[in-house]
Every structure is written in C-alpha cells, then in structure tokens.
Amino acid sequence: MFFIVSKVFWVLVQPVSLTFLLCLFGWVLVAFGRRRLGLLAGALALLILGVSAFTTAGVMAIRPLEERFARPATMPRDVSTIIMLGGATSGRVSTRRQVAELTEAGDRLTETLRLAQLYPQARIVLSGGSGLMVDDGESEALTARRFFIGLGVEPSRLVLEGESRNTDENAENTLAMLGEVTGNVMLVTSAFHMPRSVGIFRTSGLEVIAWPTDYRSTGAESFGLDVVNPAVNVVTTSVAMKEWIGLAVYHWTGRIDELLPAQLSN
C-alpha cells in the first residue's frame, strides 16, 4: 500500500503534473463563471513551470542533498560487500532488446564496476526490482547482471535482489538476503539519494560506507535565471522535490531516525 500511495502521490505533485492540473482546474473555474479564481490558478501554474524550468531552483534544492555525504578521503583497505541500488536502467527497453540500457543515473553501474575492480574479493549486491506500478519487464537486478557479466565480472560474485520497488524495500530485502554482514560495506547510489539510503540502512542496523555518484549540481551554483536547457531544469527540480518529500515521509513514518541523515564523524 505504501508503494502504491507514494507512486500515485508523486504522479500528482511533480511540477509538470501540478502545472497541467492547475491549468485544467483554471479552465473549469472559468467555465463555471469563477474567472478570477481561474486566472489565479493559471498564474500559479505558470509560476511553478517558470521557476522549475527557467531558474536554478532545482540545482539549489538538490545541492544540499548531494553534499551531505562525500566519498572517503582514504579508501578502505578491505571491502567485503558492495551494494548498488537500482534506478539506473531503463527496464522496458532493456527487457525488450536484451541490453543494459542506462539512464542518467548510469554512473551507479560504472562506479560499481570500478569498485568491483578495486576490490576483486568483494561480493556485489544488485538491489532493484521494478519501480513501475505495472510490472512488464525484468528486474533491474537482472539488467545490471547483464551489464556486469558483459564487462567481465564473474557471475559468482553477483548477488541479485530483484524484488524491491523502493528504497525501504532495497534495505529490507538486501539485509534479509545477506543475513549477518561482516567487514566493510560500500553503498553506491546517486548523491542526492544517499542521505535517505544511508538513513534506511542505518536504521536497519547496517552502517555503510557511502560512495555517491550521479551528481546533478556542481556545488557552486547560486539562484538565478537559467534558460539554456529548461527540460533538464524541470527534471532536476522534480528529482529534488521527490527526494525531499521522500526524506520527510520516511522520517515521519519511522523508516529513518533523522530528517536529513549525515556522515558520521571518524
């Protein structure tokens, strides 16, 4: 139920959906003679679209998330397990064409591959099912397996967890599959997603070494106009909104102990 509610909620509140719904609502109000309220709804829709598409609001919102965790200054000597969270492949395309089609978050796979080469004895956990409400393809874990085997990783090193549909299930299913974990564990996911991911693993009893990737900000932006690529700006704003809402909901429902988990001091 949590999964379904979260998916429906996000379909309705992301910037593009809000813009469309407010415009539609505005037209309905005008049609029923509520012209002033209709114009107000239309103006609000334009404001949401304008801020998300033509300003740096998105990168300003995502930057604090990306800066919350840094890669270790000194690489750990031994790593027993590398966990990669799903969300980096296009399930439908990968399934139909039997390839590993990467999305914008494809750095999760390439960085995991690099860590696998640095730590040849570590097992690699590929955690990801399907994040779609209607599952019509293979799990992300299977797609990732195709990617790693194609690039020379021994199949025996790969542990597939292909049932999880969100971050909560990533942690729950992975820990249930692994049982007692010994040694250093590295977690690979997008930098903006790392606070929520570390928080859920930490609450579940496993402290991981964060290996953030897939950055969407430079860390040096300031607020202002940005008209170069409005489509990218809308996506960044949507990703930031989704992650902040996710943190709030996970904290409110007790899935993470802190609203914005932070890196532990050495």
Side-chain angles (χ1 to χ4, degrees), residues 1-4 6 85 127-131 161-177 196 200-201 204 250 255:
M1 181 62 70
F2 179 80
F3 171 75
I4 295 173
S6 65
L85 302 188
S127 179
S130 172
E161 186 289 291
E163 299 298 324
S164 57
R165 301 169 297 174
N166 54 31
T167 310
D168 185 26
E169 293 180 2
N170 282 140
E172 180 181 356
N173 295 345
T174 297
L175 293 177
M177 177 178 289
R196 185 154 56 108
I200 192 71
F201 275 94
S204 301
Y250 271 46
R255 287 173 168 82

Side-chain angles (χ1 to χ4, degrees), residues 195-242:
R196 185 154 56 108
S197 302
V198 171
I200 192 71
F201 275 94
R202 185 177 289 167
T203 301
S204 301
L206 179 64
E207 193 62 46
V208 297
I209 300 172
W211 193 266
T213 187
D214 177 33
Y215 290 89
R216 309 297 174 93
S217 71
T218 66
E221 294 88 355
S222 58
F223 184 75
L225 294 177
D226 183 6
V227 298
V228 176
N229 200 330
V232 171
N233 293 340
V234 170
V235 170
T236 303
T237 303
S238 298
V239 170
M241 278 183 59
K242 183 178 181 181

Side-chain angles (χ1 to χ4, degrees), residues 47-239:
L47 178 63
I48 292 172
L49 181 61
V51 170
S52 62
F54 300 109
T55 75
T56 59
V59 290
M60 294 298 293
I62 210 169
R63 195 172 87 182
L65 298 170
E66 295 189 333
E67 294 180 343
R68 199 67 174 172
F69 286 85
R71 295 180 182 180
T74 303
M75 296 294 289
R77 179 173 299 179
D78 297 306
V79 171
S80 66
T81 308
I82 302 166
I83 302 174
M84 187 200 78
L85 302 188
T89 62
S90 175
R92 286 172 176 163
V93 175
S94 297
T95 301
R96 299 292 189 277
R97 297 187 179 275
Q98 286 299 287
V99 297
E101 188 63 35
L102 307 188
T103 64
E104 189 174 0
D107 291 0
R108 298 188 192 188
L109 281 91
T110 57
E111 284 299 312
T112 300
L113 177 62
R114 187 159 74 91
L115 291 173
Q117 293 168 342
L118 290 173
Y119 300 102
Q121 303 305 316
R123 58 182 171 176
I124 305 163
V125 180
L126 309 176
S127 179
S130 172
L132 302 175
M133 292 185 66
V134 179
D135 185 6
D136 63 349
E138 66 187 14
S139 69
E140 285 203 65
L142 281 175
T143 303
R145 181 180 186 273
R146 186 182 302 122
F147 174 87
F148 287 110
I149 291 178
L151 290 172
V153 176
E154 287 294 326
S156 60
R157 297 181 63 191
L158 302 176
V159 179
L160 272 60
E161 186 289 291
E163 299 298 324
S164 57
R165 301 169 297 174
N166 54 31
T167 310
D168 185 26
E169 293 180 2
N170 282 140
E172 180 181 356
N173 295 345
T174 297
L175 293 177
M177 177 178 289
L178 294 179
E180 185 177 353
V181 181
T182 59
N184 290 316
V185 178
M186 300 192 82
L187 179 66
V188 182
T189 190
S190 299
F192 62 81
H193 187 232
M194 191 60 78
R196 185 154 56 108
S197 302
V198 171
I200 192 71
F201 275 94
R202 185 177 289 167
T203 301
S204 301
L206 179 64
E207 193 62 46
V208 297
I209 300 172
W211 193 266
T213 187
D214 177 33
Y215 290 89
R216 309 297 174 93
S217 71
T218 66
E221 294 88 355
S222 58
F223 184 75
L225 294 177
D226 183 6
V227 298
V228 176
N229 200 330
V232 171
N233 293 340
V234 170
V235 170
T236 303
T237 303
S238 298
V239 170

